[in-house]
Amino acid sequence: MDHEPTISRDQGRTAGRGRLRGLGRDALVASICGGVVALMVGASYAAVPFYNWFCRATGFNGTTQVATSAPAAGPIARKIAVRFDSNVAPGLPWKFEPEQNEIEVNIGQVVTVFYTVTNQAARTTAGQAAYNVAPLTVGSYFQKINCFCFTEQTMAPGEKREMPVVFYVDPSIADDHENDGLNTITLSYTFYPVRDPVVKPLASGEDDKRKGNL
């Protein structure tokens, strides 16, 4: 009579320990992979504010600079044309356009221009603008003193608002010989929807004619 091979108790324990070690390795690998994914996600969120700071500090990718006052040197004789572009991202029911498509300014001259925004929805909506200038290398010379893009904008149903931008082109651009042939700068804005706007109470008697959150 044939006998089936038998497994000793020691062999069974060894096999069991092997299976447990295999499961332990699988759990360890899964934990490491999960940790790497979490680290990558966290790094991607951290990269956004760092990238924004880097762009503002260097003018990279056409990001304009933020100034607190007019340039100390004052305007120079050289003139340059500034064009104004406006865009609205999908999901935001706004009409958004500049009051002037193009102006000519002296380099170093402080200028105020207006964009007009209309909420075409029957509900309160909110948006915030992203911006850059072209050519991209001019970002470090384009200085904005005030701009509606610095804060979230909340619009009542059907509300129309004129939003100012105060800026100048830094006179030091005249020392950058790579820009000797520069005749035109384009300032471009795109409004993006804000899903959960922070509603701020309006002060009584606030002038609605020309207002923007500065």
Side-chain angles (χ1 to χ4, degrees):
M1 183 175 179
D2 295 334
H3 295 281
E4 294 183 359
T6 59
I7 299 175
S8 67
R9 291 183 178 179
D10 290 340
Q11 288 175 321
R13 293 193 189 98
T14 301
R17 285 196 294 270
R19 285 193 296 271
L20 289 174
R21 282 196 296 270
L23 291 173
R25 284 195 298 270
D26 291 344
L28 178 62
V29 170
S31 297
I32 292 173
C33 290
V36 170
V37 170
L39 181 63
M40 291 174 66
V41 171
S44 66
Y45 280 105
V48 172
F50 176 79
Y51 178 79
N52 288 339
W53 169 83
F54 175 78
C55 289
R56 288 195 302 271
T58 63
F60 178 75
N61 203 29
T63 303
T64 62
Q65 304 300 289
V66 178
T68 56
S69 61
I76 62 177
R78 179 179 167 186
K79 292 181 178 291
I80 196 164
V82 181
R83 294 175 180 169
F84 304 101
D85 178 53
S86 59
N87 306 277
V88 179
L92 188 61
W94 287 7
K95 182 180 179 182
F96 174 48
E97 57 188 3
E99 290 191 349
Q100 298 170 281
N101 291 323
E102 181 178 322
I103 61 173
E104 187 177 59
V105 300
N106 287 88
I107 291 177
Q109 175 186 355
V110 177
V111 182
T112 301
V113 297
F114 288 87
Y115 277 76
T116 301
V117 184
T118 305
N119 178 14
Q120 297 179 313
R123 67 184 189 281
T124 298
T125 55
Q128 187 154 2
Y131 54 89
N132 71 346
V133 294
L136 301 181
T137 54
V138 180
S140 59
Y141 299 107
F142 199 95
Q143 303 280 346
K144 286 195 291 188
I145 298 175
N146 264 327
C147 178
F148 54 84
C149 57
F150 296 154
T151 56
E152 176 186 307
Q153 304 293 325
T154 301
M155 304 278 288
E159 180 181 359
K160 182 178 180 180
R161 187 182 302 175
E162 290 178 314
M163 297 180 176
V165 182
V166 183
F167 71 90
Y168 65 88
V169 179
D170 196 315
S172 63
I173 196 173
D175 300 323
D176 184 351
H177 296 298
E178 291 185 1
N179 290 300
D180 283 347
L182 180 68
N183 297 314
T184 304
I185 296 174
T186 300
L187 174 62
S188 180
Y189 288 98
T190 300
F191 259 112
Y192 292 91
V194 175
R195 292 186 177 181
D196 299 312
V198 178
V199 179
K200 299 178 181 179
L202 297 176
S204 59
E206 181 181 1
D207 181 13
D208 290 328
K209 264 190 174 180
R210 287 185 177 269
K211 63 182 180 180
N213 293 335
L214 301 179

